[in-house]
PDB file of all heavy atoms in Angstrom:
ATOM      1  N   PHE N   3      42.937  10.402   7.484  1.00  0.00           N
ATOM      2  CA  PHE N   3      42.355   9.339   6.668  1.00  0.00           C
ATOM      3  C   PHE N   3      41.159   8.716   7.372  1.00  0.00           C
ATOM      4  O   PHE N   3      40.172   8.358   6.738  1.00  0.00           O
ATOM      5  CB  PHE N   3      43.403   8.274   6.350  1.00  0.00           C
ATOM      6  CG  PHE N   3      44.215   8.586   5.121  1.00  0.00           C
ATOM      7  CD1 PHE N   3      45.510   9.064   5.233  1.00  0.00           C
ATOM      8  CD2 PHE N   3      43.681   8.405   3.850  1.00  0.00           C
ATOM      9  CE1 PHE N   3      46.258   9.355   4.103  1.00  0.00           C
ATOM     10  CE2 PHE N   3      44.426   8.690   2.708  1.00  0.00           C
ATOM     11  CZ  PHE N   3      45.718   9.158   2.838  1.00  0.00           C
ATOM     12  N   TYR N  21      51.646   7.523   5.306  1.00  0.00           N
ATOM     13  CA  TYR N  21      51.026   8.799   4.935  1.00  0.00           C
ATOM     14  C   TYR N  21      50.388   9.428   6.166  1.00  0.00           C
ATOM     15  O   TYR N  21      49.576   8.805   6.840  1.00  0.00           O
ATOM     16  CB  TYR N  21      49.932   8.614   3.881  1.00  0.00           C
ATOM     17  CG  TYR N  21      50.375   7.962   2.601  1.00  0.00           C
ATOM     18  CD1 TYR N  21      49.440   7.342   1.776  1.00  0.00           C
ATOM     19  CD2 TYR N  21      51.702   7.973   2.186  1.00  0.00           C
ATOM     20  CE1 TYR N  21      49.823   6.746   0.583  1.00  0.00           C
ATOM     21  CE2 TYR N  21      52.086   7.376   1.000  1.00  0.00           C
ATOM     22  CZ  TYR N  21      51.146   6.756   0.210  1.00  0.00           C
ATOM     23  OH  TYR N  21      51.514   6.173  -0.958  1.00  0.00           O
ATOM     24  N   GLU N  23      48.486  12.319   6.243  1.00  0.00           N
ATOM     25  CA  GLU N  23      47.127  12.796   5.986  1.00  0.00           C
ATOM     26  C   GLU N  23      46.823  12.731   4.497  1.00  0.00           C
ATOM     27  O   GLU N  23      47.748  12.641   3.680  1.00  0.00           O
ATOM     28  CB  GLU N  23      46.959  14.223   6.500  1.00  0.00           C
ATOM     29  CG  GLU N  23      47.985  15.183   5.966  1.00  0.00           C
ATOM     30  CD  GLU N  23      47.742  16.604   6.469  1.00  0.00           C
ATOM     31  OE1 GLU N  23      47.345  16.734   7.650  1.00  0.00           O
ATOM     32  OE2 GLU N  23      47.917  17.537   5.688  1.00  0.00           O
ATOM     33  N   PRO N  24      45.534  12.750   4.171  1.00  0.00           N
ATOM     34  CA  PRO N  24      45.193  12.654   2.743  1.00  0.00           C
ATOM     35  C   PRO N  24      45.608  13.908   1.984  1.00  0.00           C
ATOM     36  O   PRO N  24      45.636  15.005   2.554  1.00  0.00           O
ATOM     37  CB  PRO N  24      43.672  12.489   2.732  1.00  0.00           C
ATOM     38  CG  PRO N  24      43.190  12.744   4.105  1.00  0.00           C
ATOM     39  CD  PRO N  24      44.348  12.796   5.037  1.00  0.00           C
ATOM     40  N   THR N  25      45.931  13.740   0.737  1.00  0.00           N
ATOM     41  CA  THR N  25      46.207  14.901  -0.117  1.00  0.00           C
ATOM     42  C   THR N  25      44.858  15.537  -0.480  1.00  0.00           C
ATOM     43  O   THR N  25      43.808  14.907  -0.307  1.00  0.00           O
ATOM     44  CB  THR N  25      46.929  14.467  -1.405  1.00  0.00           C
ATOM     45  OG1 THR N  25      46.031  13.663  -2.180  1.00  0.00           O
ATOM     46  CG2 THR N  25      48.199  13.678  -1.102  1.00  0.00           C
ATOM     47  N   GLN N  28      42.652  13.404  -2.562  1.00  0.00           N
ATOM     48  CA  GLN N  28      42.147  12.248  -1.819  1.00  0.00           C
ATOM     49  C   GLN N  28      40.999  12.653  -0.896  1.00  0.00           C
ATOM     50  O   GLN N  28      39.972  11.986  -0.846  1.00  0.00           O
ATOM     51  CB  GLN N  28      43.280  11.607  -1.008  1.00  0.00           C
ATOM     52  CG  GLN N  28      44.287  10.880  -1.891  1.00  0.00           C
ATOM     53  CD  GLN N  28      45.601  10.567  -1.204  1.00  0.00           C
ATOM     54  OE1 GLN N  28      45.819  10.915  -0.049  1.00  0.00           O
ATOM     55  NE2 GLN N  28      46.497   9.926  -1.938  1.00  0.00           N
ATOM     56  N   GLN N  46      46.870  15.812 -11.695  1.00  0.00           N
ATOM     57  CA  GLN N  46      47.956  15.144 -12.399  1.00  0.00           C
ATOM     58  C   GLN N  46      48.674  14.158 -11.501  1.00  0.00           C
ATOM     59  O   GLN N  46      48.452  14.113 -10.298  1.00  0.00           O
ATOM     60  CB  GLN N  46      48.981  16.103 -12.965  1.00  0.00           C
ATOM     61  CG  GLN N  46      48.865  17.548 -12.619  1.00  0.00           C
ATOM     62  CD  GLN N  46      50.011  18.316 -13.241  1.00  0.00           C
ATOM     63  OE1 GLN N  46      51.155  17.956 -13.074  1.00  0.00           O
ATOM     64  NE2 GLN N  46      49.705  19.389 -13.928  1.00  0.00           N
ATOM     65  N   THR N  47      49.560  13.423 -12.140  1.00  0.00           N
ATOM     66  CA  THR N  47      50.416  12.511 -11.388  1.00  0.00           C
ATOM     67  C   THR N  47      51.175  13.331 -10.352  1.00  0.00           C
ATOM     68  O   THR N  47      51.615  14.443 -10.657  1.00  0.00           O
ATOM     69  CB  THR N  47      51.393  11.834 -12.356  1.00  0.00           C
ATOM     70  OG1 THR N  47      50.607  11.100 -13.279  1.00  0.00           O
ATOM     71  CG2 THR N  47      52.337  10.900 -11.652  1.00  0.00           C
ATOM     72  N   GLY N  48      51.313  12.805  -9.169  1.00  0.00           N
ATOM     73  CA  GLY N  48      51.997  13.553  -8.119  1.00  0.00           C
ATOM     74  C   GLY N  48      51.038  14.128  -7.097  1.00  0.00           C
ATOM     75  O   GLY N  48      51.444  14.584  -6.033  1.00  0.00           O
ATOM     76  N   THR N  49      49.731  14.101  -7.417  1.00  0.00           N
ATOM     77  CA  THR N  49      48.752  14.664  -6.487  1.00  0.00           C
ATOM     78  C   THR N  49      48.236  13.618  -5.511  1.00  0.00           C
ATOM     79  O   THR N  49      47.485  13.944  -4.597  1.00  0.00           O
ATOM     80  CB  THR N  49      47.539  15.218  -7.253  1.00  0.00           C
ATOM     81  OG1 THR N  49      47.024  14.171  -8.084  1.00  0.00           O
ATOM     82  CG2 THR N  49      47.925  16.409  -8.116  1.00  0.00           C
ATOM     83  N   GLY N  50      48.614  12.367  -5.744  1.00  0.00           N
ATOM     84  CA  GLY N  50      48.053  11.290  -4.915  1.00  0.00           C
ATOM     85  C   GLY N  50      46.735  10.770  -5.465  1.00  0.00           C
ATOM     86  O   GLY N  50      45.973  10.109  -4.771  1.00  0.00           O
ATOM     87  N   LYS N  51      46.482  11.049  -6.740  1.00  0.00           N
ATOM     88  CA  LYS N  51      45.195  10.674  -7.334  1.00  0.00           C
ATOM     89  C   LYS N  51      44.971   9.171  -7.346  1.00  0.00           C
ATOM     90  O   LYS N  51      43.835   8.717  -7.233  1.00  0.00           O
ATOM     91  CB  LYS N  51      45.078  11.237  -8.756  1.00  0.00           C
ATOM     92  CG  LYS N  51      46.035  10.568  -9.744  1.00  0.00           C
ATOM     93  CD  LYS N  51      45.929  11.189 -11.119  1.00  0.00           C
ATOM     94  CE  LYS N  51      47.071  10.791 -12.022  1.00  0.00           C
ATOM     95  NZ  LYS N  51      47.145   9.390 -12.383  1.00  0.00           N
ATOM     96  N   THR N  52      46.052   8.390  -7.490  1.00  0.00           N
ATOM     97  CA  THR N  52      45.858   6.944  -7.615  1.00  0.00           C
ATOM     98  C   THR N  52      45.207   6.378  -6.354  1.00  0.00           C
ATOM     99  O   THR N  52      44.240   5.617  -6.440  1.00  0.00           O
ATOM    100  CB  THR N  52      47.202   6.239  -7.875  1.00  0.00           C
ATOM    101  OG1 THR N  52      47.907   7.000  -8.854  1.00  0.00           O
ATOM    102  CG2 THR N  52      46.995   4.840  -8.399  1.00  0.00           C
ATOM    103  N   ALA N  53      45.715   6.787  -5.198  1.00  0.00           N
ATOM    104  CA  ALA N  53      45.076   6.344  -3.957  1.00  0.00           C
ATOM    105  C   ALA N  53      43.676   6.956  -3.857  1.00  0.00           C
ATOM    106  O   ALA N  53      42.771   6.350  -3.290  1.00  0.00           O
ATOM    107  CB  ALA N  53      45.917   6.756  -2.753  1.00  0.00           C
ATOM    108  N   TYR N 115      47.415  -0.956  -1.447  1.00  0.00           N
ATOM    109  CA  TYR N 115      46.315  -0.529  -0.574  1.00  0.00           C
ATOM    110  C   TYR N 115      45.353  -1.676  -0.270  1.00  0.00           C
ATOM    111  O   TYR N 115      44.611  -1.626   0.698  1.00  0.00           O
ATOM    112  CB  TYR N 115      45.562   0.652  -1.207  1.00  0.00           C
ATOM    113  CG  TYR N 115      46.461   1.828  -1.511  1.00  0.00           C
ATOM    114  CD1 TYR N 115      46.537   2.371  -2.788  1.00  0.00           C
ATOM    115  CD2 TYR N 115      47.264   2.388  -0.516  1.00  0.00           C
ATOM    116  CE1 TYR N 115      47.373   3.433  -3.078  1.00  0.00           C
ATOM    117  CE2 TYR N 115      48.113   3.448  -0.795  1.00  0.00           C
ATOM    118  CZ  TYR N 115      48.162   3.963  -2.087  1.00  0.00           C
ATOM    119  OH  TYR N 115      49.001   5.008  -2.368  1.00  0.00           O
ATOM    120  N   ARG N 230      49.678  18.606  -5.785  1.00  0.00           N
ATOM    121  CA  ARG N 230      50.052  18.590  -4.369  1.00  0.00           C
ATOM    122  C   ARG N 230      51.305  19.424  -4.141  1.00  0.00           C
ATOM    123  O   ARG N 230      51.383  20.247  -3.256  1.00  0.00           O
ATOM    124  CB  ARG N 230      50.286  17.148  -3.926  1.00  0.00           C
ATOM    125  CG  ARG N 230      50.801  17.031  -2.520  1.00  0.00           C
ATOM    126  CD  ARG N 230      50.414  15.701  -1.943  1.00  0.00           C
ATOM    127  NE  ARG N 230      50.842  14.620  -2.797  1.00  0.00           N
ATOM    128  CZ  ARG N 230      51.968  13.940  -2.606  1.00  0.00           C
ATOM    129  NH1 ARG N 230      52.760  14.275  -1.632  1.00  0.00           N
ATOM    130  NH2 ARG N 230      52.282  12.951  -3.387  1.00  0.00           N
ATOM    131  N   ASP N 327      56.292   6.970 -11.686  1.00  0.00           N
ATOM    132  CA  ASP N 327      56.144   7.337 -10.284  1.00  0.00           C
ATOM    133  C   ASP N 327      57.494   7.162  -9.597  1.00  0.00           C
ATOM    134  O   ASP N 327      57.896   6.060  -9.271  1.00  0.00           O
ATOM    135  CB  ASP N 327      55.085   6.426  -9.665  1.00  0.00           C
ATOM    136  CG  ASP N 327      54.862   6.759  -8.207  1.00  0.00           C
ATOM    137  OD1 ASP N 327      55.382   7.795  -7.757  1.00  0.00           O
ATOM    138  OD2 ASP N 327      54.184   5.985  -7.534  1.00  0.00           O
ATOM    139  N   ASP N 329      59.657   8.607  -6.497  1.00  0.00           N
ATOM    140  CA  ASP N 329      59.614   9.481  -5.320  1.00  0.00           C
ATOM    141  C   ASP N 329      60.876  10.324  -5.226  1.00  0.00           C
ATOM    142  O   ASP N 329      61.966   9.845  -5.515  1.00  0.00           O
ATOM    143  CB  ASP N 329      59.493   8.628  -4.056  1.00  0.00           C
ATOM    144  CG  ASP N 329      58.044   8.271  -3.790  1.00  0.00           C
ATOM    145  OD1 ASP N 329      57.171   8.910  -4.395  1.00  0.00           O
ATOM    146  OD2 ASP N 329      57.804   7.355  -2.990  1.00  0.00           O
ATOM    147  N   ARG N 355      58.206  16.259  -5.718  1.00  0.00           N
ATOM    148  CA  ARG N 355      57.032  15.551  -5.233  1.00  0.00           C
ATOM    149  C   ARG N 355      57.250  15.064  -3.810  1.00  0.00           C
ATOM    150  O   ARG N 355      58.345  15.070  -3.310  1.00  0.00           O
ATOM    151  CB  ARG N 355      56.752  14.372  -6.156  1.00  0.00           C
ATOM    152  CG  ARG N 355      56.289  14.859  -7.486  1.00  0.00           C
ATOM    153  CD  ARG N 355      56.323  13.766  -8.511  1.00  0.00           C
ATOM    154  NE  ARG N 355      55.372  12.728  -8.189  1.00  0.00           N
ATOM    155  CZ  ARG N 355      55.188  11.686  -8.981  1.00  0.00           C
ATOM    156  NH1 ARG N 355      55.876  11.564 -10.092  1.00  0.00           N
ATOM    157  NH2 ARG N 355      54.320  10.776  -8.660  1.00  0.00           N
TER     158      ARG N 355
HETATM  159  P1  LIG W 501      50.037   9.707  -7.706  1.00  0.00           P
HETATM  160  O1  LIG W 501      49.635  11.130  -7.939  1.00  0.00           O
HETATM  161  O2  LIG W 501      48.857   8.830  -7.459  1.00  0.00           O
HETATM  162  O3  LIG W 501      50.912   9.220  -8.823  1.00  0.00           O
HETATM  163  O4  LIG W 501      50.886   9.636  -6.350  1.00  0.00           O
HETATM  164  C1  LIG W 501      52.114  10.272  -6.232  1.00  0.00           C
HETATM  165  C2  LIG W 501      52.926   9.776  -5.048  1.00  0.00           C
HETATM  166  O5  LIG W 501      52.402  10.256  -3.828  1.00  0.00           O
HETATM  167  C3  LIG W 501      53.025   8.278  -4.893  1.00  0.00           C
HETATM  168  O6  LIG W 501      54.395   7.978  -4.740  1.00  0.00           O
HETATM  169  C4  LIG W 501      52.279   7.951  -3.625  1.00  0.00           C
HETATM  170  O7  LIG W 501      52.881   6.876  -2.958  1.00  0.00           O
HETATM  171  C5  LIG W 501      52.403   9.234  -2.844  1.00  0.00           C
HETATM  172  N1  LIG W 501      51.239   9.501  -1.984  1.00  0.00           N
HETATM  173  C6  LIG W 501      49.940   9.197  -2.238  1.00  0.00           C
HETATM  174  N2  LIG W 501      49.144   9.609  -1.236  1.00  0.00           N
HETATM  175  C7  LIG W 501      49.939  10.202  -0.324  1.00  0.00           C
HETATM  176  C8  LIG W 501      49.695  10.833   0.948  1.00  0.00           C
HETATM  177  N3  LIG W 501      48.463  10.966   1.434  1.00  0.00           N
HETATM  178  N4  LIG W 501      50.746  11.339   1.610  1.00  0.00           N
HETATM  179  C9  LIG W 501      52.007  11.225   1.106  1.00  0.00           C
HETATM  180  N5  LIG W 501      52.312  10.646  -0.086  1.00  0.00           N
HETATM  181  C10 LIG W 501      51.288  10.140  -0.792  1.00  0.00           C
END
Side-chain angles (χ1 to χ4, degrees):
F3 273 103
Y21 302 158
E23 54 178 38
T25 66
Q28 289 164 358
Q46 7 178 308
T47 298
T49 54
K51 69 182 166 65
T52 316
Y115 303 125
R230 175 154 54 97
D327 181 10
D329 276 345
R355 291 166 66 177

